[in-house]
PDB file of all heavy atoms in Angstrom:
ATOM      1  N   PHE P 257      58.849  90.353 123.054  1.00 61.00           N
ATOM      2  CA  PHE P 257      58.903  89.793 121.706  1.00 61.00           C
ATOM      3  C   PHE P 257      59.665  90.757 120.810  1.00 61.00           C
ATOM      4  O   PHE P 257      59.092  91.602 120.127  1.00 61.00           O
ATOM      5  CB  PHE P 257      57.484  89.559 121.176  1.00 61.00           C
ATOM      6  CG  PHE P 257      56.624  88.758 122.117  1.00 61.00           C
ATOM      7  CD1 PHE P 257      55.674  89.378 122.902  1.00 61.00           C
ATOM      8  CD2 PHE P 257      56.796  87.395 122.231  1.00 61.00           C
ATOM      9  CE1 PHE P 257      54.890  88.646 123.776  1.00 61.00           C
ATOM     10  CE2 PHE P 257      56.018  86.646 123.105  1.00 61.00           C
ATOM     11  CZ  PHE P 257      55.065  87.273 123.882  1.00 61.00           C
ATOM     12  N   GLN P 258      61.018  90.608 120.774  1.00 65.00           N
ATOM     13  CA  GLN P 258      61.854  91.607 120.106  1.00 65.00           C
ATOM     14  C   GLN P 258      61.845  91.518 118.587  1.00 65.00           C
ATOM     15  O   GLN P 258      62.010  92.510 117.912  1.00 65.00           O
ATOM     16  CB  GLN P 258      63.316  91.483 120.597  1.00 65.00           C
ATOM     17  CG  GLN P 258      63.528  91.949 122.009  1.00 65.00           C
ATOM     18  CD  GLN P 258      63.338  90.811 122.995  1.00 65.00           C
ATOM     19  OE1 GLN P 258      62.968  89.709 122.614  1.00 65.00           O
ATOM     20  NE2 GLN P 258      63.577  91.072 124.255  1.00 65.00           N
ATOM     21  N   GLY P 259      61.729  90.321 118.021  1.00 66.00           N
ATOM     22  CA  GLY P 259      61.776  90.184 116.578  1.00 66.00           C
ATOM     23  C   GLY P 259      63.121  90.621 116.022  1.00 66.00           C
ATOM     24  O   GLY P 259      64.183  90.221 116.503  1.00 66.00           O
ATOM     25  N   ARG P 260      63.106  91.473 115.006  1.00 76.00           N
ATOM     26  CA  ARG P 260      64.344  91.919 114.359  1.00 76.00           C
ATOM     27  C   ARG P 260      65.226  92.741 115.287  1.00 76.00           C
ATOM     28  O   ARG P 260      66.426  92.871 115.049  1.00 76.00           O
ATOM     29  CB  ARG P 260      63.997  92.743 113.119  1.00 76.00           C
ATOM     30  CG  ARG P 260      63.293  91.943 112.030  1.00 76.00           C
ATOM     31  CD  ARG P 260      62.963  92.816 110.845  1.00 76.00           C
ATOM     32  NE  ARG P 260      62.246  92.070 109.813  1.00 76.00           N
ATOM     33  CZ  ARG P 260      61.790  92.611 108.698  1.00 76.00           C
ATOM     34  NH1 ARG P 260      61.962  93.916 108.469  1.00 76.00           N
ATOM     35  NH2 ARG P 260      61.166  91.875 107.813  1.00 76.00           N
ATOM     36  N   LEU P 261      64.653  93.298 116.321  1.00 83.00           N
ATOM     37  CA  LEU P 261      65.419  94.124 117.250  1.00 83.00           C
ATOM     38  C   LEU P 261      66.457  93.304 118.016  1.00 83.00           C
ATOM     39  O   LEU P 261      67.465  93.847 118.483  1.00 83.00           O
ATOM     40  CB  LEU P 261      64.457  94.802 118.235  1.00 83.00           C
ATOM     41  CG  LEU P 261      65.034  95.819 119.214  1.00 83.00           C
ATOM     42  CD1 LEU P 261      65.703  96.960 118.475  1.00 83.00           C
ATOM     43  CD2 LEU P 261      63.927  96.336 120.127  1.00 83.00           C
ATOM     44  N   ALA P 262      66.265  92.006 118.119  1.00 85.00           N
ATOM     45  CA  ALA P 262      67.169  91.165 118.904  1.00 85.00           C
ATOM     46  C   ALA P 262      68.603  91.276 118.405  1.00 85.00           C
ATOM     47  O   ALA P 262      69.551  91.347 119.198  1.00 85.00           O
ATOM     48  CB  ALA P 262      66.702  89.717 118.869  1.00 85.00           C
ATOM     49  N   ARG P 263      68.812  91.282 117.096  1.00 90.00           N
ATOM     50  CA  ARG P 263      70.157  91.401 116.536  1.00 90.00           C
ATOM     51  C   ARG P 263      70.779  92.741 116.884  1.00 90.00           C
ATOM     52  O   ARG P 263      71.976  92.821 117.202  1.00 90.00           O
ATOM     53  CB  ARG P 263      70.106  91.196 115.019  1.00 90.00           C
ATOM     54  CG  ARG P 263      71.400  91.521 114.295  1.00 90.00           C
ATOM     55  CD  ARG P 263      72.620  90.840 114.864  1.00 90.00           C
ATOM     56  NE  ARG P 263      72.565  89.392 114.717  1.00 90.00           N
ATOM     57  CZ  ARG P 263      73.507  88.569 115.188  1.00 90.00           C
ATOM     58  NH1 ARG P 263      74.529  89.057 115.887  1.00 90.00           N
ATOM     59  NH2 ARG P 263      73.396  87.279 115.021  1.00 90.00           N
ATOM     60  N   VAL P 264      69.986  93.793 116.866  1.00 91.00           N
ATOM     61  CA  VAL P 264      70.484  95.119 117.232  1.00 91.00           C
ATOM     62  C   VAL P 264      70.976  95.123 118.681  1.00 91.00           C
ATOM     63  O   VAL P 264      72.027  95.694 119.008  1.00 91.00           O
ATOM     64  CB  VAL P 264      69.378  96.183 117.043  1.00 91.00           C
ATOM     65  CG1 VAL P 264      69.843  97.554 117.542  1.00 91.00           C
ATOM     66  CG2 VAL P 264      68.961  96.259 115.579  1.00 91.00           C
ATOM     67  N   LEU P 265      70.238  94.453 119.567  1.00 92.00           N
ATOM     68  CA  LEU P 265      70.605  94.407 120.977  1.00 92.00           C
ATOM     69  C   LEU P 265      71.887  93.606 121.183  1.00 92.00           C
ATOM     70  O   LEU P 265      72.762  94.005 121.969  1.00 92.00           O
ATOM     71  CB  LEU P 265      69.461  93.789 121.785  1.00 92.00           C
ATOM     72  CG  LEU P 265      68.098  94.466 121.650  1.00 92.00           C
ATOM     73  CD1 LEU P 265      67.038  93.686 122.419  1.00 92.00           C
ATOM     74  CD2 LEU P 265      68.148  95.900 122.132  1.00 92.00           C
ATOM     75  N   LEU P 266      72.023  92.471 120.507  1.00 94.00           N
ATOM     76  CA  LEU P 266      73.247  91.684 120.586  1.00 94.00           C
ATOM     77  C   LEU P 266      74.452  92.502 120.140  1.00 94.00           C
ATOM     78  O   LEU P 266      75.506  92.507 120.797  1.00 94.00           O
ATOM     79  CB  LEU P 266      73.126  90.430 119.713  1.00 94.00           C
ATOM     80  CG  LEU P 266      72.366  89.236 120.276  1.00 94.00           C
ATOM     81  CD1 LEU P 266      71.973  88.285 119.159  1.00 94.00           C
ATOM     82  CD2 LEU P 266      73.200  88.500 121.315  1.00 94.00           C
ATOM     83  N   ASP P 267      74.298  93.211 119.030  1.00 95.00           N
ATOM     84  CA  ASP P 267      75.403  93.997 118.480  1.00 95.00           C
ATOM     85  C   ASP P 267      75.785  95.160 119.399  1.00 95.00           C
ATOM     86  O   ASP P 267      76.965  95.523 119.485  1.00 95.00           O
ATOM     87  CB  ASP P 267      75.037  94.532 117.096  1.00 95.00           C
ATOM     88  CG  ASP P 267      74.965  93.421 116.045  1.00 95.00           C
ATOM     89  OD1 ASP P 267      75.468  92.309 116.311  1.00 95.00           O
ATOM     90  OD2 ASP P 267      74.397  93.666 114.953  1.00 95.00           O
ATOM     91  N   ALA P 268      74.801  95.733 120.083  1.00 95.00           N
ATOM     92  CA  ALA P 268      75.095  96.843 120.995  1.00 95.00           C
ATOM     93  C   ALA P 268      75.982  96.371 122.147  1.00 95.00           C
ATOM     94  O   ALA P 268      76.957  97.042 122.521  1.00 95.00           O
ATOM     95  CB  ALA P 268      73.797  97.435 121.532  1.00 95.00           C
ATOM     96  N   GLY P 269      75.668  95.212 122.711  1.00 96.00           N
ATOM     97  CA  GLY P 269      76.504  94.679 123.779  1.00 96.00           C
ATOM     98  C   GLY P 269      77.893  94.332 123.286  1.00 96.00           C
ATOM     99  O   GLY P 269      78.893  94.581 123.981  1.00 96.00           O
ATOM    100  N   ALA P 270      77.984  93.762 122.075  1.00 97.00           N
ATOM    101  CA  ALA P 270      79.283  93.404 121.509  1.00 97.00           C
ATOM    102  C   ALA P 270      80.140  94.645 121.276  1.00 97.00           C
ATOM    103  O   ALA P 270      81.354  94.626 121.521  1.00 97.00           O
ATOM    104  CB  ALA P 270      79.087  92.646 120.196  1.00 97.00           C
ATOM    105  N   ALA P 271      79.523  95.726 120.818  1.00 97.00           N
ATOM    106  CA  ALA P 271      80.276  96.954 120.564  1.00 97.00           C
ATOM    107  C   ALA P 271      80.861  97.521 121.859  1.00 97.00           C
ATOM    108  O   ALA P 271      81.989  98.031 121.879  1.00 97.00           O
ATOM    109  CB  ALA P 271      79.370  97.987 119.896  1.00 97.00           C
ATOM    110  N   THR P 272      80.111  97.436 122.953  1.00 97.00           N
ATOM    111  CA  THR P 272      80.612  97.914 124.250  1.00 97.00           C
ATOM    112  C   THR P 272      81.827  97.104 124.690  1.00 97.00           C
ATOM    113  O   THR P 272      82.828  97.658 125.152  1.00 97.00           O
ATOM    114  CB  THR P 272      79.511  97.824 125.316  1.00 97.00           C
ATOM    115  OG1 THR P 272      78.384  98.586 124.898  1.00 97.00           O
ATOM    116  CG2 THR P 272      80.002  98.345 126.659  1.00 97.00           C
ATOM    117  N   ALA P 273      81.746  95.785 124.551  1.00 97.00           N
ATOM    118  CA  ALA P 273      82.871  94.924 124.931  1.00 97.00           C
ATOM    119  C   ALA P 273      84.084  95.186 124.056  1.00 97.00           C
ATOM    120  O   ALA P 273      85.222  95.218 124.548  1.00 97.00           O
ATOM    121  CB  ALA P 273      82.454  93.450 124.837  1.00 97.00           C
ATOM    122  N   ALA P 274      83.859  95.376 122.754  1.00 96.00           N
ATOM    123  CA  ALA P 274      84.966  95.622 121.838  1.00 96.00           C
ATOM    124  C   ALA P 274      85.687  96.912 122.194  1.00 96.00           C
ATOM    125  O   ALA P 274      86.928  96.955 122.198  1.00 96.00           O
ATOM    126  CB  ALA P 274      84.443  95.673 120.400  1.00 96.00           C
ATOM    127  N   ALA P 275      84.932  97.964 122.470  1.00 96.00           N
ATOM    128  CA  ALA P 275      85.544  99.258 122.811  1.00 96.00           C
ATOM    129  C   ALA P 275      86.380  99.147 124.078  1.00 96.00           C
ATOM    130  O   ALA P 275      87.497  99.690 124.171  1.00 96.00           O
ATOM    131  CB  ALA P 275      84.457 100.313 122.970  1.00 96.00           C
ATOM    132  N   TRP P 276      85.859  98.435 125.091  1.00 95.00           N
ATOM    133  CA  TRP P 276      86.608  98.289 126.349  1.00 95.00           C
ATOM    134  C   TRP P 276      87.870  97.447 126.137  1.00 95.00           C
ATOM    135  O   TRP P 276      88.945  97.784 126.639  1.00 95.00           O
ATOM    136  CB  TRP P 276      85.728  97.651 127.417  1.00 95.00           C
ATOM    137  CG  TRP P 276      86.473  97.471 128.715  1.00 95.00           C
ATOM    138  CD1 TRP P 276      86.828  98.417 129.618  1.00 95.00           C
ATOM    139  CD2 TRP P 276      86.980  96.223 129.212  1.00 95.00           C
ATOM    140  NE1 TRP P 276      87.504  97.859 130.673  1.00 95.00           N
ATOM    141  CE2 TRP P 276      87.624  96.514 130.458  1.00 95.00           C
ATOM    142  CE3 TRP P 276      86.958  94.915 128.756  1.00 95.00           C
ATOM    143  CZ2 TRP P 276      88.238  95.524 131.226  1.00 95.00           C
ATOM    144  CZ3 TRP P 276      87.564  93.924 129.526  1.00 95.00           C
ATOM    145  CH2 TRP P 276      88.198  94.231 130.742  1.00 95.00           C
ATOM    146  N   ALA P 277      87.741  96.344 125.400  1.00 93.00           N
ATOM    147  CA  ALA P 277      88.891  95.466 125.175  1.00 93.00           C
ATOM    148  C   ALA P 277      89.991  96.196 124.409  1.00 93.00           C
ATOM    149  O   ALA P 277      91.187  96.040 124.711  1.00 93.00           O
ATOM    150  CB  ALA P 277      88.454  94.214 124.406  1.00 93.00           C
ATOM    151  N   GLU P 278      89.617  97.001 123.428  1.00 92.00           N
ATOM    152  CA  GLU P 278      90.617  97.777 122.667  1.00 92.00           C
ATOM    153  C   GLU P 278      91.290  98.812 123.554  1.00 92.00           C
ATOM    154  O   GLU P 278      92.498  99.044 123.461  1.00 92.00           O
ATOM    155  CB  GLU P 278      89.945  98.446 121.479  1.00 92.00           C
ATOM    156  CG  GLU P 278      89.535  97.451 120.383  1.00 92.00           C
ATOM    157  CD  GLU P 278      88.701  98.092 119.298  1.00 92.00           C
ATOM    158  OE1 GLU P 278      88.498  99.330 119.360  1.00 92.00           O
ATOM    159  OE2 GLU P 278      88.236  97.364 118.393  1.00 92.00           O
ATOM    160  N   HIS P 279      90.508  99.434 124.427  1.00 89.00           N
ATOM    161  CA  HIS P 279      91.083 100.411 125.366  1.00 89.00           C
ATOM    162  C   HIS P 279      92.078  99.736 126.296  1.00 89.00           C
ATOM    163  O   HIS P 279      93.177 100.258 126.556  1.00 89.00           O
ATOM    164  CB  HIS P 279      89.971 101.073 126.171  1.00 89.00           C
ATOM    165  CG  HIS P 279      90.464 102.019 127.211  1.00 89.00           C
ATOM    166  ND1 HIS P 279      90.727 101.637 128.523  1.00 89.00           N
ATOM    167  CD2 HIS P 279      90.765 103.346 127.149  1.00 89.00           C
ATOM    168  CE1 HIS P 279      91.163 102.664 129.201  1.00 89.00           C
ATOM    169  NE2 HIS P 279      91.181 103.722 128.406  1.00 89.00           N
ATOM    170  N   GLU P 280      91.713  98.562 126.822  1.00 88.00           N
ATOM    171  CA  GLU P 280      92.600  97.848 127.740  1.00 88.00           C
ATOM    172  C   GLU P 280      93.854  97.361 127.028  1.00 88.00           C
ATOM    173  O   GLU P 280      94.947  97.380 127.624  1.00 88.00           O
ATOM    174  CB  GLU P 280      91.859  96.663 128.365  1.00 88.00           C
ATOM    175  CG  GLU P 280      90.804  97.057 129.372  1.00 88.00           C
ATOM    176  CD  GLU P 280      91.409  97.788 130.571  1.00 88.00           C
ATOM    177  OE1 GLU P 280      92.097  97.118 131.376  1.00 88.00           O
ATOM    178  OE2 GLU P 280      91.193  99.005 130.700  1.00 88.00           O
ATOM    179  N   ALA P 281      93.719  96.949 125.765  1.00 81.00           N
ATOM    180  CA  ALA P 281      94.881  96.474 125.011  1.00 81.00           C
ATOM    181  C   ALA P 281      95.871  97.611 124.756  1.00 81.00           C
ATOM    182  O   ALA P 281      97.078  97.377 124.634  1.00 81.00           O
ATOM    183  CB  ALA P 281      94.434  95.863 123.693  1.00 81.00           C
TER     184      ALA P 281
END
């Protein structure tokens, strides 16, 4: 039952993908 933490977890995964995509670009 994450509550407000759920948004933090979503954003953490998005940040990882963004960093990799920028590196590959």
Side-chain angles (χ1 to χ4, degrees):
F257 308 102
Q258 289 90 355
R260 295 179 182 177
L261 186 59
R263 170 52 65 183
V264 175
L265 304 176
L266 280 162
D267 290 345
T272 302
W276 179 74
E278 289 172 4
H279 176 269
E280 288 298 289

